[in-house]
Amino acid sequence: TIVCMVILISLVDAIFTSSSEDEITRSLLLGVIAMIAVFAVIVITINKNLSRLVKMRTEELVEQRNNLENLVEEKTEALLKTERLSAIGELSGRLAHDLRNPLSVMKMSVDLIKQNPKDTKISEPNVTKRLDLIEKSIDRISHQVDDVLGYVRNSPLSLSSTSLRQLIKNSVEKINIPSDVNVTVSKKDVLVDCDSVKLDAVFINLIVNSIQAMPEGGNLEIKIFDRDNMAIIEFIDTGKGIPDNIISKVFEPLFTTKQKGTGLGLASCKNIVEQHQGKITVKNNPTTFTIILPKSISITNLQTK
Ligand SMILES: Nc1ncnc2c1ncn2[C@@H]1O[C@H](COP(=O)(O)OP(=O)(O)OP(=O)(O)O)[C@@H](O)[C@H]1O
Ligand SMILES: [Mg+2]
């Protein structure tokens, strides 16, 4: 605008001050050329700004599109997971129902055989050992059924004051521990208000996971700590550890790296521990699962999920 005005003033000045017609025409021509030049500059500037604006808008749109794509992906995954979970729920209900009866028949038979030691063949050490193994396996299957059910339907807690050490030792006894795996339970004990059946399932899950992480053998150390109004339990194993990129996912339902895993083990552990108003966490080096449980739970705070 300023340049424009200068040109206009010089033009007017030229018209008024010069006498010859030739000079006036030349000044007019010069003025017109200058005005065209200024106009061109203005057009170029506008053009530049416009293309910058278009670029900015395009970038914004691309970002919005990416965000939307991510959102759609997330939602689809969540939906698929929910669908898979409800399918598992339905399936496990039927499976549990169908497995329970034959399992209890098997267990009863084993009990009856064991109660009949007059028969020499049955009291033979080899036979007793095999019977114990069958019994352990039956318990294991029942537990796996309970696991899936436990995850799918969250029954209310049935609380009683329990010795953690005894509970953990009982869980260890129920598992077939390979001879090259050494399990130790701390001497310390803490009494906690808990649902012993549910916590037993948690401990069995953690112990089995550790054993599976040590195919070449190793140590699993189970420590118990007494901290004010909390009990802390640590499961430390010398296994292969959990890769950094999956460690945040291990508590997610259906997350598994095992061919025959359900991926519900740790998810149900988390559910049960949280139902007890506790926390479960994991870290590497060495692989440690830590459970923090309040020693007593106020019934009024109990949420039945
Ligand atoms: N002690 C451990 N050491 C190394 N990795 C582990 C350990 N515990 C769990 N994980 C990892 O976490 C994943 C999820 O465990 P989770 O118990 O939920 O399911 P799973 O063991 O794969 O299946 P399931 O419990 O049904 O047999 C496992 O597949 C494994 O990769
Ligand atoms: Mg598991």
Side-chain angles (χ1 to χ4, degrees), residues 5-223:
M5 275 168 71
V6 170
I7 290 163
L8 265 177
I9 290 166
S10 63
L11 211 69
V12 171
D13 177 62
I15 291 168
F16 282 101
T17 50
S18 45
S19 44
S20 93
E21 250 181 47
D22 249 13
E23 264 177 55
I24 293 175
T25 332
R26 214 184 306 145
S27 303
L28 265 174
L29 217 66
L30 258 174
V32 169
I33 289 170
M35 266 164 70
I36 290 173
V38 169
F39 191 66
V41 169
I42 291 172
V43 169
I44 288 170
T45 321
I46 290 176
N47 192 28
K48 229 193 233 166
N49 281 339
L50 264 181
S51 45
R52 209 184 311 148
L53 203 77
V54 168
K55 209 173 145 206
M56 260 165 54
R57 279 263 174 267
T58 317
E59 275 168 11
E60 268 176 32
L61 281 176
V62 167
E63 204 185 309
Q64 274 177 7
R65 192 196 62 193
N66 287 345
N67 285 346
L68 278 176
E69 269 176 11
N70 287 346
L71 198 74
V72 168
E73 223 166 80
E74 262 171 41
K75 292 276 176 228
T76 315
E77 205 168 295
L79 210 71
L80 279 179
K81 213 167 228 185
T82 321
E83 247 173 45
R84 266 148 79 202
L85 272 179
S86 76
I88 285 181
E90 211 176 289
L91 197 78
S92 62
R94 252 181 287 156
L95 189 76
H97 180 260
D98 292 351
L99 281 180
R100 275 236 170 88
N101 288 343
L103 275 176
S104 50
V105 172
M106 280 160 83
K107 193 162 167 63
M108 239 161 53
S109 314
V110 173
D111 283 346
L112 282 176
I113 295 173
K114 279 171 89 178
Q115 278 167 22
N116 214 349
K118 275 168 275 162
D119 190 333
T120 43
K121 275 187 196 147
I122 289 165
S123 49
E124 259 177 41
N126 251 346
V127 179
T128 335
K129 216 172 104 189
R130 294 274 179 278
L131 279 177
D132 282 344
L133 275 182
I134 295 175
E135 205 177 15
K136 274 187 183 175
S137 305
I138 294 172
D139 285 342
R140 177 84 198 107
I141 300 175
S142 326
H143 267 288
Q144 262 175 344
V145 172
D146 288 345
D147 236 32
V148 180
L149 272 189
Y151 183 77
V152 176
R153 83 165 117 75
N154 228 329
S155 54
L157 294 181
S158 145
L159 295 175
S160 61
S161 180
T162 312
S163 144
L164 265 188
R165 181 162 194 269
Q166 203 46 55
L167 192 58
I168 292 172
K169 288 196 83 126
N170 285 347
S171 312
V172 174
E173 299 233 314
K174 288 183 190 154
I175 299 165
N176 261 327
I177 296 167
S179 52
D180 52 3
V181 170
N182 185 36
V183 182
T184 52
V185 183
S186 101
K187 296 269 179 291
K188 180 118 202 126
D189 194 10
V190 184
L191 277 183
V192 287
D193 276 345
C194 65
D195 185 318
S196 53
V197 176
K198 288 195 175 205
L199 272 197
D200 176 51
V202 171
F203 299 150
I204 288 180
N205 263 312
L206 293 176
I207 298 166
V208 169
N209 276 349
S210 283
I211 291 173
Q212 287 171 342
M214 301 188 282
E216 265 103 57
N219 295 317
L220 166 62
E221 210 186 338
I222 306 172
K223 291 184 175 172

